[in-house]
Amino acid sequence: MLWLNIFFIVIIVSSIMYLAKWFLRKLFNIEKTKKKFFSYNHINKWHARIDWALRIVTVVVNFILIFLISNERISILSISLVLVLIILSDYFIRAFFEWKYTDNPKEAILTISDMVILLVSVALVFGFDLLNLNVS
């Protein structure tokens, strides 16, 4: 049942993100840019370097979290907080480079909207315990 709940949450959040992007593109007259699916989409060399550094930090943090989970020294809520901070930093970095170094700086609005939707979704999932993880 857990995987079914996760599947529905992902579908709902993805749909909301799609609709928000569509609405914001119309509202702010943002041109649609062609991006490859599951691609890095780095803006410049600095963005690539910072993004790769963040990825390395993420891998190290994940190994530490796995160690702490195996020794039962950390809660699921703490894990989610760390992962949310990593996601936040990734989106802020991407938005900054889109705003500062691209031909279409309004793309940063879409990135920030994705970040806000993901944060609200995570807060709702853990706040209402939609996955029945008993995080309290």
Side-chain angles (χ1 to χ4, degrees):
M1 193 67 172
L2 173 71
W3 293 107
L4 188 62
N5 288 345
I6 291 172
F7 175 75
F8 283 129
I9 290 170
V10 167
I11 294 296
I12 291 169
V13 171
S14 298
S15 300
I16 292 170
M17 288 172 74
Y18 175 81
L19 290 173
K21 279 185 177 182
W22 176 83
F23 177 74
L24 289 172
R25 282 188 198 282
K26 297 290 184 191
L27 183 66
F28 294 112
N29 197 20
I30 301 172
E31 297 176 16
K32 194 168 188 174
T33 57
K34 197 80 163 170
K35 292 182 182 177
K36 293 180 182 176
F37 196 63
F38 284 122
S39 179
Y40 297 122
N41 297 319
H42 294 127
I43 308 301
N44 57 23
K45 286 182 184 180
W46 282 107
H47 182 215
R49 289 178 185 160
I50 293 171
D51 190 52
W52 275 104
L54 182 64
R55 289 170 193 264
I56 291 169
V57 168
T58 301
V59 168
V60 170
V61 166
N62 283 331
F63 278 123
I64 293 169
L65 288 176
I66 289 170
F67 173 76
L68 291 174
I69 291 168
S70 65
N71 291 332
E72 297 178 6
R73 296 181 185 202
I74 194 167
S75 69
I76 292 175
L77 194 58
S78 301
I79 294 167
S80 63
L81 180 64
V82 170
L83 295 177
V84 162
L85 290 174
I86 290 171
I87 291 169
L88 265 174
S89 61
D90 181 44
Y91 274 94
F92 271 125
I93 290 167
R94 182 181 314 266
F96 173 76
F97 278 95
E98 286 174 346
W99 169 68
K100 195 76 171 166
Y101 297 108
T102 61
D103 296 333
N104 191 5
K106 289 182 181 180
E107 283 282 328
I109 295 170
L110 301 177
T111 303
I112 297 294
S113 74
D114 282 350
M115 180 186 64
V116 169
I117 291 169
L118 282 176
L119 287 176
V120 169
S121 301
V122 169
L124 289 175
V125 166
F126 283 104
F128 290 115
D129 197 21
L130 297 178
L131 297 176
N132 297 323
L133 296 174
N134 300 323
V135 293
S136 53

